[in-house]
């Protein structure tokens, strides 16, 4: 569970995003990863599942053939971005790099 100390200010989120080029802020930390095949997208999803279980923090996830859409936000913190979201996003970025996924955060749906 997140507590008040886990909430990040806008300045802290902005600073974190400088170290997370794969991600942007849009109702949470969001991104889209494109892989060369559906099988690699599934490998990424499996890695995200392992990360989620290890960190006990689960993203909103959608899979479309070779693209994986992700959003991290702490629902238990009132929908705020927390340190847990930043840590999870960093872990997922590393997993994405391992399957040679390309980040396309601008493709995350606006609505």
């Amino acid at each position: 569970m997140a507590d008040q100390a886990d909430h990040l200010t806008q300045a802290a989120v902005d600073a974190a995003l400088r170290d997370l080029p794969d991600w942007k802020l849009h109702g949470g930390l969001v991104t889209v990863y494109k892989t060369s095949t559906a099988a690699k997208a599934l490998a990424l999803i499996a890695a995200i599942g392992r990360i989620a279980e290890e960190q006990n923090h689960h993203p909103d996830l959608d899979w479309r053939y070779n693209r994986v859409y992700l959003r991290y936000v702490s629902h238990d913190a009132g929908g705020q971005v927390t340190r847990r979201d930043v840590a999870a996003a960093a872990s997922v970025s590393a997993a994405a790099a391992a399957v040679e996924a390309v980040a396309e955060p601008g493709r995350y749906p606006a609505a």
Side-chain angles (χ1 to χ4, degrees):
M1 292 293 256
D3 63 30
Q4 191 63 31
D6 288 330
H7 293 211
L8 297 180
T9 64
Q10 185 62 51
V13 171
D14 292 342
L17 285 170
R18 284 193 286 277
D19 293 329
L20 295 170
D22 292 0
W23 300 80
K24 71 176 187 174
L25 183 64
H26 181 74
L29 300 181
V30 301
T31 196
V32 177
Y33 284 108
K34 181 181 179 185
T35 60
S36 59
T37 65
K40 283 190 177 185
L42 286 169
L44 176 57
I45 291 168
I48 292 166
R50 287 189 295 276
I51 291 164
E53 288 299 303
E54 290 168 5
Q55 296 182 359
N56 192 28
H57 193 47
H58 302 78
D60 297 331
L61 184 146
D62 189 20
W63 169 46
R64 305 287 180 187
Y65 178 63
N66 67 337
R67 283 191 171 88
V68 180
Y69 297 75
L70 291 160
R71 180 173 74 119
Y72 276 103
V73 66
S74 293
H75 300 287
D76 60 349
Q80 299 295 310
V81 175
T82 66
R83 287 182 264 176
R84 290 183 310 152
D85 300 310
V86 171
S91 295
V92 168
S93 290
V99 297
E100 300 174 335
V102 176
E104 300 178 325
R107 289 186 65 105
Y108 195 86

